[in-house]
Amino acid sequence: MTDSDTTTATTDWRAWQESWDRQQEWYLPDREQRFGIMLDMVEALVGTAPRVLDLACGTGSITARLLARFPEATSTGVDLDPALLAIAEGTFAGDDRVGLVTADLKDPDWPAKLPYDSYDAVLTATALHWLHREPLADLYGQVAGLVRDGGVFMNADHMIDESTPRINAAERDQRHARMDQAKRDGILDWSAWWQLAAEDPVLAGPTARRYEIYGEHADGDMPSAAWHARVLREKGFGEARPVWCSPSDTLLLALR
């Protein structure tokens, strides 16, 4: 075993997962609630042993919660971020219920890299707002082709209703005030978390590569839940509507 292999083997991947969760909760204090509702709907519509595609999986936050609740489930995680995938690979090493795929969701051929042609459920959270409307609509068409008849797609993300600007502004101001207080209390924000990753001997290389791919942060769109539901129906889903929402975010479910 090389020195690099030894370092990787002794990395505390659980600690990195927990650190990522705390950083994400700075932005999304109700993050666990949306995951819980997401898994409730998985159970209600496709049962407790689903084949799941964890879309834009990051560190595997959805997959970890899926397997903890449904031990007979299987998950394919797909992402492009080398650093977050490194954490996912370390976390799920040796678990044959999990497969991880490196792919760019803007590449029209990305589904060819998946191990299965269809899934009971495709799940994603706080990721697709990196895409603009046109590539997101294209992605929804590809997802519709991956979900089996009777299967589900769920997207939990920022979905902004532009018809309510005063409500949006008040919600944003309150949320940012709470985030500022949490940061003063010592919570790591996005930039601080990535700085730690860049300084870690195992994650430094993958982190440098992810900045080559994404830069500081991609700027996509955050259309309303109504837009998502309409486009999903246009792309082949029979039904689509929100099943949970907060003042800023929505969990939208589409049924094939």
Side-chain angles (χ1 to χ4, degrees):
M1 181 179 288
T2 67
D3 290 343
S4 176
D5 291 336
T6 301
T7 302
T8 302
T10 58
T11 297
D12 189 342
W13 296 114
R14 181 177 296 276
W16 275 109
Q17 284 282 3
E18 291 176 354
S19 175
W20 176 258
D21 284 343
R22 300 295 83 73
Q23 179 259 127
Q24 287 289 285
E25 287 167 358
W26 180 66
Y27 298 93
L28 307 164
D30 47 22
R31 186 168 177 256
E32 292 301 327
Q33 185 180 19
R34 74 189 64 194
F35 285 148
I37 298 296
M38 180 181 282
L39 296 181
D40 285 346
M41 299 311 297
V42 166
E43 181 174 5
L45 289 162
V46 297
T48 59
R51 177 191 292 169
V52 170
L53 176 61
D54 187 349
L55 192 68
C57 66
T59 67
S61 296
I62 290 174
T63 292
R65 288 155 180 80
L66 173 80
L67 298 180
R69 179 159 169 178
F70 307 128
E72 295 181 10
T74 59
S75 180
T76 302
V78 59
D79 207 302
L80 185 62
D81 190 309
L84 300 186
L85 279 174
I87 296 173
E89 289 165 357
T91 298
F92 300 108
D95 191 334
D96 59 9
R97 298 172 297 175
V98 180
L100 295 168
V101 174
T102 301
D104 185 349
L105 297 181
K106 291 185 286 187
D107 179 350
D109 296 324
W110 72 267
K113 295 185 176 183
L114 300 176
Y116 304 107
D117 293 330
S118 68
Y119 290 84
D120 300 307
V122 178
L123 310 177
T124 189
T126 326
L128 300 189
H129 65 271
W130 285 47
L131 297 174
H132 290 283
R133 281 172 171 81
E134 184 174 343
L136 180 55
D138 291 341
L139 178 65
Y140 279 171
Q142 293 173 311
V143 169
L146 290 167
V147 176
R148 67 161 174 84
D149 288 345
V152 297
F153 167 67
M154 280 183 271
N155 178 15
D157 210 341
H158 311 307
M159 298 183 189
I160 306 302
D161 188 339
E162 295 178 355
S163 70
T164 58
R166 289 182 297 164
I167 296 172
N168 298 348
E171 181 280 324
R172 184 173 55 250
D173 289 347
Q174 183 181 60
R175 175 163 42 90
H176 281 237
R178 290 174 175 171
M179 290 166 64
D180 289 344
Q181 182 58 56
K183 190 173 179 179
R184 288 192 292 270
D185 292 340
I187 295 295
L188 294 177
D189 65 6
W190 174 269
S191 297
W193 191 91
W194 280 109
Q195 182 60 42
L196 282 182
E199 295 169 356
D200 182 83
V202 174
L203 291 177
T207 298
R209 291 195 297 275
R210 70 91 53 196
Y211 275 100
E212 291 173 3
I213 295 169
Y214 295 111
E216 285 294 326
H217 198 285
D219 293 320
D221 289 336
M222 289 178 275
S224 68
W227 180 94
H228 288 271
R230 174 180 60 79
V231 172
L232 285 162
R233 288 192 294 267
E234 290 173 353
K235 294 298 183 178
F237 287 91
E239 301 177 13
R241 72 165 177 86
V243 292
W244 172 92
C245 68
S246 73
S248 62
D249 287 30
T250 296
L251 171 59
L252 195 135
L253 184 152
L255 183 65
R256 192 78 166 86

